[in-house]
Amino acid sequence: MTTFHIPGMHCGGCRATVRKTIHAIDPDAKIAFDNEARQIVLDSRAETAKVQAALTAAGYPATPLSPV
């Protein structure tokens, strides 16, 4: 599991785009959202760098904070 900080994630629409982007890479990914902290905890088989690149391409640059 990896925690990502996504400063551009402000609303439900943002959350939906983040979910869709990650599920395009790994349909089985589990995502826990913390809207207040603008973070997600991701449980996925996808490589962190691949997820980060996909989120950036979708307009939501993300910084991995820590593996959990």
Side-chain angles (χ1 to χ4, degrees), residues 3-28:
T3 300
F4 287 90
H5 181 244
I6 308 173
M9 187 175 67
H10 299 280
C11 65
C14 300
R15 185 174 163 163
T17 300
V18 168
R19 178 181 285 116
K20 181 179 177 180
T21 300
I22 292 170
H23 282 157
I25 298 168
D26 179 3
D28 298 323

Side-chain angles (χ1 to χ4, degrees), residues 26-60:
D26 179 3
D28 298 323
K30 292 178 178 60
I31 310 163
F33 289 87
D34 181 342
N35 288 338
E36 189 174 312
R38 296 189 178 136
Q39 295 181 357
I40 62 168
V41 176
L42 177 64
D43 183 5
S44 173
R45 291 174 286 141
E47 294 177 16
T48 299
K50 189 172 183 179
V51 171
Q52 189 175 12
L55 289 169
T56 297
Y60 293 93

